[in-house]
Amino acid sequence: MSTSSPQPPPDPASPAPSPRRRSSSSPFSSLLLPLPLRRALAELGLVSVYASPLDVKLLCLQRFVRMFAYGASTLVLVAYLTSVLGGRTAAAAAGVGLFMTLTLVGDVAASFFLTLFADALGRRAVLALGALLMAGSGAVFAASGSYWVLLAAAVVGVISPSGNEIGPFKAIEESIVAQLTDPKNRSDVYAWYSLVGLGGAACGSMACGWILQHLTETLRWEPIRAYRAVYVGYAVLGLAKLTLTLLLSHSVESEKKKKQQQQQQQQQQQQQQQAEVRNDETRPLLGDGTTSTPPPKRGLRALFPEISRESVPVVITLCLLFALDSFGSGLAPLSWITYYFKYQFDIDEGRLGSIFFVTQLLAAVSMIAASSLAKRFGNVNTMIFTHLPSQIFRALIPLSGDLRLALLFLVLNASTQSMDSGPRSAFLAAIVLPGERTAVMGAVNVVKTTAQSLGPLLTGVLVDRNLFWVSFVGSGGLKVLYDLGLLAFFKEKEKERERAERLRIRREEEETGGGRTNGQTDEERA
């Protein structure tokens, strides 16, 4: 019998050392803040962000830097290409549309390859490679005035023609966030992750607009020289993103690598045990008491992710719906919208940058409310009933022909168009199995980019025929159809997958003896 005295029972008044509870409440409770303020911070999602690991905060900072560069580039991209192609001509409009389409096609190929193998090759390595491509593209745009050289740099590198995400970054980063955060806090973290991105794009647009105005009006630079200066800054921001990527810890890597290493270690241990059995005559002749594990995949097969059969129809449906939504986005991307306001209403770059700073900042702020709505009504309902009204306003932007009405519809469109970003990321993370997240999110992004790549080419033809309004109406209409399809297929599916994920986490905790080491679950330690 043990001589140690029994441990006293835990005090029922003291909370259990639950990692989830501590991750969502304790960080701010130690600051002795008033209870209403703590509740407000929790409602806004700041508690979840504060409690998240340092890697998550670095990813948010990376996204701000990246989207700042995209926002600055988008404001000048069409004007820069038009200047390179010789001015506002029908051939120039067609060339700009072709440029945007081929840029997105190149992004599809690069994103498909990098996200498919990101977990096996290393997430940090892929993110670093993307940052180098981004910096290289900016350097080429700053140095060259050849349309075909610029096209090659955009296809091979990272240039956003729409102001939205491009490249493999978002899929990998969202997979990392899902791995490092508690499931019930994901909507908060994703909302702020999306908010930071939109805030960066807004700041980039405004900074670019006023810098251009200063260079062209105060310093009397030629417009094309000022545009190239913007891309010098773009290249510098690419290098800044590379630095932030190198600061990430090993925790961001996929669990797939760790499991493969564990399997290899188990195999080595089994081989050693079998060797000992053969040399020990006192052991039984049949059976060595060891259990066999399936050998890990080797060679090229080890790079491919495994997708379960139950996920295949879900992924196919998601890809079709997101393709519809992205094709609508491609018909009226931000670069074409800025071009429309610049030449339809003769707005200078400084005012144009301020206008889109306000709209993007408004879209960013609205994301905070989206996280709170998702907690009450679910991710799917929040996605649909915030996204759908904004697309109606998008379709109305060019129909009045009056600047004030067009700006009103632009602001109304921006007020809710991005509220679905955070809930959509949380929805994808919940509906896909953990080991499939990076590959599935990458596949979804590839499908979205492929569909989006067809839009700008069609818009260039419409602009050439003075039918710019058709692109706005078509964009809004297709996005409304996407919302209705999402409501029809996934309103109940989300609840089923959330229940399945909770059961999976519970089983893992039971199998690992509660899944706690120093108050942390396996998922949080990953």
Side-chain angles (χ1 to χ4, degrees), residues 326-478:
S326 296
F327 181 70
S329 297
L331 287 176
L334 183 60
S335 53
W336 274 120
I337 295 176
T338 58
Y339 182 84
Y340 171 80
F341 276 91
K342 178 178 175 61
Y343 290 105
Q344 182 72 20
F345 303 109
D346 194 24
I347 301 177
D348 58 63
E349 284 85 357
R351 290 179 60 201
L352 193 67
S354 298
I355 288 171
F356 284 94
F357 169 77
V358 172
T359 57
Q360 290 178 307
L361 190 61
L362 180 62
V365 172
S366 68
M367 290 181 176
I368 303 176
S371 176
S372 181
L373 292 173
K375 295 175 184 176
R376 290 167 171 77
F377 304 108
N379 291 316
V380 173
N381 287 333
T382 303
M383 290 163 60
I384 295 167
F385 294 109
T386 58
H387 186 257
L388 193 149
S390 69
Q391 304 316 311
I392 298 175
F393 294 127
R394 172 186 283 250
L396 296 175
I397 289 175
L399 298 185
S400 65
D402 179 75
L403 176 59
R404 288 172 295 182
L405 283 177
L407 289 176
L408 174 63
F409 291 135
L410 181 68
V411 169
L412 291 174
N413 169 248
S415 63
T416 60
Q417 71 170 349
S418 299
M419 289 181 73
D420 69 322
S421 298
R424 180 173 56 206
S425 299
F427 164 71
L428 280 175
I431 207 166
V432 177
L433 297 176
E436 305 169 356
R437 282 181 186 138
T438 303
V440 170
M441 289 179 175
V444 168
N445 284 345
V446 165
V447 171
K448 289 169 62 177
T449 306
T450 304
Q452 189 176 349
S453 66
L454 303 175
L457 184 60
L458 180 59
T459 302
V461 176
L462 293 174
V463 171
D464 182 33
R465 301 184 180 184
N466 292 323
L467 295 174
F468 211 151
W469 64 272
V470 176
S471 65
F472 283 90
V473 175
S475 175
L478 290 173

Side-chain angles (χ1 to χ4, degrees), residues 205-227:
S205 295
M206 186 181 71
C208 177
W210 289 109
I211 289 173
L212 282 176
Q213 189 166 338
H214 175 73
L215 293 177
T216 55
E217 296 184 6
T218 304
L219 301 182
R220 302 296 180 184
W221 284 22
E222 292 293 327
I224 195 167
R225 183 185 177 191
Y227 299 152

Side-chain angles (χ1 to χ4, degrees), residues 93-258:
V96 171
L98 178 64
F99 181 95
M100 292 186 176
T101 296
L102 292 180
T103 298
L104 292 173
V105 169
D107 174 63
V108 166
S111 297
F112 178 76
F113 175 80
L114 293 177
T115 54
L116 185 64
F117 302 129
D119 286 352
L121 296 176
R123 292 171 176 174
R124 285 179 297 177
V126 173
L127 291 175
L129 176 60
L132 286 174
L133 291 175
M134 180 179 171
S137 298
V140 173
F141 267 65
S144 177
S146 168
Y147 172 82
W148 298 107
V149 172
L150 297 179
L151 178 61
V155 170
V156 176
V158 178
I159 292 288
S160 174
S162 61
N164 297 324
E165 281 285 7
I166 195 170
F169 306 113
K170 186 179 179 182
I172 298 174
E173 290 175 353
E174 288 183 346
S175 182
I176 295 173
V177 170
Q179 177 176 306
L180 297 180
T181 56
D182 190 286
K184 69 177 182 181
N185 295 333
R186 283 178 191 155
S187 61
D188 290 337
V189 177
Y190 279 131
W192 280 95
Y193 172 82
S194 301
L195 184 151
V196 165
L198 269 182
C203 294
S205 295
M206 186 181 71
C208 177
W210 289 109
I211 289 173
L212 282 176
Q213 189 166 338
H214 175 73
L215 293 177
T216 55
E217 296 184 6
T218 304
L219 301 182
R220 302 296 180 184
W221 284 22
E222 292 293 327
I224 195 167
R225 183 185 177 191
Y227 299 152
R228 288 174 179 169
V230 171
Y231 285 103
V232 172
Y234 186 93
V236 172
L237 290 172
L239 295 177
K241 185 189 178 309
L242 174 63
T243 302
L244 292 172
T245 300
L246 297 178
L247 294 176
L248 293 173
S249 72
H250 185 69
S251 299
V252 304
E253 299 296 351
S254 170
E255 287 296 301
K256 179 180 178 181
K257 275 190 169 183
K258 300 175 184 177

